[in-house]
Amino acid sequence: MSGRTRALFLDWGGTLALTRDNRTVMDAEGRPVLMPRVGARLAVERPRFGACFIVSNQARISRGEISEAEVLRRFRWANEQLGRPFGDWRLCPHGDEHHCACRKPRPGMFLDLARAWDVDLAGSTHVGDSSKDRDAAAAAGIGTFLWAREFFRW
């Protein structure tokens, strides 16, 4: 739809940040370890989109393993490190057993950002590393899904 914002949506774990056992790998200073070529690739691709967002399942919050504040601190740190490409983000703190509307593969996080930012979902792209990411993009009506390994050329 003309005049609406095309957005680039990115998953967090395994896409932007390195993970092991579904946990973000941290460096000695307590900062997330970013995946290879994330900064360089975003510098090239981000200008093609009117907006850029992180969308991330974070079930460890509901299990009491990490706080929402800590996850958001990590997102903010990455945003600063990468030159502030992200205008906003959404996380789902629930596990699969909660059957919420926001947990990927459901489209809730995408739809919420689309309403808030007037996003043209059909003209947008989601980059992720799992079938849940791919399925969530399809459920939200996002026009293009790219595997992180292809987008970042790993």
Side-chain angles (χ1 to χ4, degrees):
M1 180 179 279
S2 181
R4 297 185 71 201
T5 302
R6 288 178 55 246
L8 176 63
F9 295 90
L10 294 118
D11 175 53
W12 174 253
T15 298
L16 293 171
L18 179 64
T19 59
R20 279 196 199 102
D21 301 320
N22 287 324
R23 296 172 184 265
T24 301
V25 174
M26 305 297 280
D27 68 14
E29 286 79 38
R31 299 175 302 217
V33 175
L34 298 176
M35 295 292 283
R37 293 194 276 285
V38 166
R41 192 76 179 133
L42 283 179
V44 170
E45 293 296 327
R46 171 62 180 92
R48 296 180 47 232
F49 297 88
C52 185
F53 309 113
I54 298 171
V55 286
S56 179
N57 285 346
Q58 293 288 327
R60 291 181 58 224
I61 295 171
S62 68
R63 294 192 300 263
E65 298 172 11
I66 191 169
S67 70
E68 184 171 333
E70 174 59 17
V71 173
L72 294 175
R73 182 194 71 81
R74 294 172 183 188
F75 289 179
R76 286 189 297 271
W77 177 86
N79 199 34
E80 290 300 317
Q81 284 299 118
L82 296 169
R84 297 184 186 161
F86 308 111
D88 207 347
W89 38 73
R90 294 293 183 275
L91 62 83
C92 172
H94 309 107
D96 287 334
E97 68 277 9
H98 295 110
H99 306 288
C100 66
C102 58
R103 185 166 177 79
K104 294 183 274 181
R106 293 177 191 89
M109 291 185 282
F110 299 92
L111 300 177
D112 187 49
L113 285 163
R115 282 188 295 270
W117 292 83
D118 194 29
V119 170
D120 170 14
L121 289 168
S124 295
T125 298
H126 178 42
V127 178
D129 70 320
S130 75
S131 59
K132 283 186 176 185
D133 294 318
R134 181 198 59 214
D135 295 348
I142 292 173
T144 303
F145 174 79
L146 297 172
W147 293 103
R149 68 180 171 270
E150 295 167 3
F151 182 80
F152 292 110
R153 299 176 180 163
W154 297 327

